[in-house]
Amino acid sequence: MSIVEDARQAEYVMESSLTGAEYSDPEVFHQETGRIFRRRWFSIGRDETIPAPGDYLVRDVAGDSIIVMRQPGGGLRGFFNTCRHRGSRLLEESGHVDKVVKCPYHSWTYGLDGGLVATPNVKSGEMFDRADFPLWGVRVDSWGGFIFVNMSDDPLPLEQQLAAEPDEPLTFGRWRMEELRLGDVREYDVRANWKIVVDNYNECLHCPTVHPELSALVPAFKRGEVEDEPDSPGNRLIAGATSFTMSGRSSLPPLPGVTDEDRHIYRGSYFLPNLMLNFTSDAIRYFLLFPIAADRTTVVLGHLFAEETVAGGADLGEVVRFGDLVATQDWRVCESAQRGVSSMPFAAGGGVYPYQDRLLADFKKRYRAMMGTGS
Ligand code: FES
Ligand SMILES: [Fe+2]
């Protein structure tokens, strides 16, 4: 440990954790929906996955379901996945429609722009004007090839939200993420609160126990730390390692924009509420969290590579398998934590954040400020 780190650790005042109720109470989850997920921009997926008009993404998040639809002119529009007639879900999974979205209940039909175009057996003008009943819209924007949506009426611009993030996403331009391509994407049904997944991401005290393979590649992780030095830009890998694989090496070329220094460094970052980005020199792993209930989160793990790497049919398996291994190790302990936090004494008081959990203490402050529940 360095002198600087020693000094910081000596000054650190241990904080209490979020309470068990904040991790497990359905009422708290309900309040988060209004104060966080219906207010902030959250990422819903990759732009490249819906290239053609009529391609769409569907994601359920905190009690709402959102459709993002590619338009004939190339742009994106977002809608609540709810019929204007009597509220039926319109689409269940991501996919493609030719020209219209037809409700499965009474066949009311909407154009790709959300306009109501047909109401079988109910004549427009007889009882109502169809123009008054388009799908309810949500705002859509994108950054780094990620599609973001916002359900509020008057949100901050996406860029302003990102600019205020402590992990400084707007400094990541040189990675040119919008030009990278998805080599693998998979989804996990994690039986844990979304904040337990965030907490777990923001510390590495668990790494030596839970991730022996990963800890063998990252010296800081082996000693339970998330960074080499306080405020260092990333973590140096062991000598010779350039990738997150079992051997620490891969046959894949570096991503465009990667510097010589980047070749041997790992960077992790989290953007509240639901995007995490992990940078290694040959791949970027992202996680998207979709809170489903107080004790349940859908997590999407995607692996991004250089376009030529994916187009050329390179073997991505060793990188992707390693990502899946580490993720699966994490979900197991997140689920174990979820089962523990609703026990009576923890639910009332909570746990503690020692120095190595300081990023969790920072997250707690931001979270409680958003929730209006103090510090
Ligand atoms: S609920 Fe959609 S057409 Fe009736
Ligand atoms: Fe982990």
Side-chain angles (χ1 to χ4, degrees):
M1 196 177 297
S2 72
I3 294 170
V4 181
E5 193 173 336
D6 267 342
R8 294 249 183 134
Q9 188 157 354
E11 281 170 15
Y12 180 78
V13 179
M14 192 146 86
E15 291 237 2
S16 58
S17 78
L18 290 169
T19 64
E22 286 169 302
Y23 290 121
S24 59
D25 184 345
E27 179 53 33
V28 172
F29 184 76
H30 178 70
Q31 288 168 11
E32 289 172 352
T33 301
R35 290 182 171 268
I36 298 177
F37 289 97
R38 288 183 182 157
R39 264 191 207 171
R40 289 181 71 78
W41 291 94
F42 61 88
S43 178
I44 198 166
R46 290 287 293 174
D47 183 87
E48 65 181 284
T49 59
I50 49 171
D55 289 349
Y56 61 87
L57 284 173
V58 169
R59 275 292 163 198
D60 292 355
V61 55
D64 288 291
S65 182
I66 305 292
I67 303 168
V68 173
M69 178 74 72
R70 181 71 66 189
Q71 300 297 298
L76 294 170
R77 293 186 71 150
F79 311 106
F80 285 93
N81 187 8
T82 298
C83 182
R84 291 299 307 267
H85 175 214
R86 296 224 318 271
S88 171
R89 279 280 170 97
L90 295 163
L91 298 166
E92 290 302 329
E93 290 180 5
S94 302
H96 174 84
V97 290
D98 278 337
K99 288 196 167 59
V100 293
V101 175
K102 191 197 273 192
C103 178
Y105 199 172
H106 314 91
S107 291
W108 287 24
T109 301
Y110 302 87
L112 301 186
D113 63 357
L116 180 60
V117 294
T119 52
N121 298 317
V122 179
K123 291 190 180 62
S124 179
E126 176 187 303
M127 295 161 61
F128 71 107
D129 186 349
R130 286 181 196 143
D132 293 338
F133 293 89
L135 293 178
W136 284 293
V138 298
R139 287 180 165 73
V140 181
D141 203 345
S142 57
W143 167 79
F146 290 94
I147 298 170
F148 286 75
V149 298
N150 191 302
M151 294 188 240
S152 76
D153 291 334
D154 189 20
L156 283 178
L158 170 62
E159 190 157 314
Q160 224 167 303
Q161 179 177 306
L162 293 173
E165 283 295 302
D167 284 350
E168 301 183 340
L170 300 184
T171 65
F172 295 172
R174 72 188 167 81
W175 293 85
R176 307 203 317 250
M177 286 188 288
E178 60 283 354
E179 294 171 21
L180 303 182
R181 290 293 166 261
L182 200 51
D184 186 88
V185 63
R186 53 191 70 200
E187 204 166 303
Y188 306 86
D189 178 17
V190 182
R191 301 299 173 124
N193 184 273
W194 67 278
K195 301 186 295 301
I196 283 188
V197 179
V198 172
D199 283 352
N200 178 72
Y201 183 79
N202 277 333
E203 54 90 1
C204 228
L205 268 181
H206 70 278
C207 292
T209 309
V210 177
H211 305 303
E213 303 84 358
L214 178 62
S215 298
L217 300 176
V218 188
F221 291 178
K222 201 165 197 161
R223 57 189 173 85
E225 252 303 334
V226 280
E227 54 194 357
D228 286 349
E229 293 287 329
D231 308 321
S232 61
N235 297 330
R236 192 150 282 282
L237 308 185
I238 56 167
T242 55
S243 179
F244 276 180
T245 62
M246 294 303 259
S247 66
R249 305 191 72 82
S250 81
S251 56
L252 306 180
L255 299 174
V258 157
T259 63
D260 282 347
E261 194 194 11
D262 292 332
R263 282 295 270 164
H264 306 286
I265 283 185
Y266 157 81
R267 289 178 175 82
S269 51
Y270 166 64
F271 311 125
L272 209 159
N274 83 324
L275 173 62
M276 296 151 175
L277 290 174
N278 292 351
F279 298 78
T280 52
S281 66
D282 58 1
I284 295 176
R285 294 183 171 89
Y286 69 82
F287 295 94
L288 294 176
L289 313 184
F290 298 102
I292 301 300
D295 59 356
R296 191 169 178 190
T297 306
T298 300
V299 184
V300 172
L301 165 59
H303 280 80
L304 302 174
F305 300 92
E307 185 169 13
E308 313 75 65
T309 305
V310 176
D315 181 5
L316 312 175
E318 57 182 343
V319 173
V320 169
R321 277 194 302 276
F322 195 84
D324 176 67
L325 170 75
V326 174
T328 306
Q329 291 167 337
D330 278 325
W331 312 151
R332 198 177 62 238
V333 288
C334 287
E335 291 179 345
S336 179
Q338 184 67 42
R339 290 195 296 275
V341 294
S342 48
S343 85
M344 190 183 64
F346 197 100
V352 292
Y353 296 140
Y355 175 76
Q356 290 79 3
D357 286 335
R358 60 197 175 282
L359 298 181
L360 287 65
D362 294 343
F363 173 72
K364 179 183 81 171
K365 287 191 190 88
R366 293 187 71 198
Y367 168 78
R368 286 190 174 164
M370 283 174 198
M371 293 291 283
T373 50
S375 59

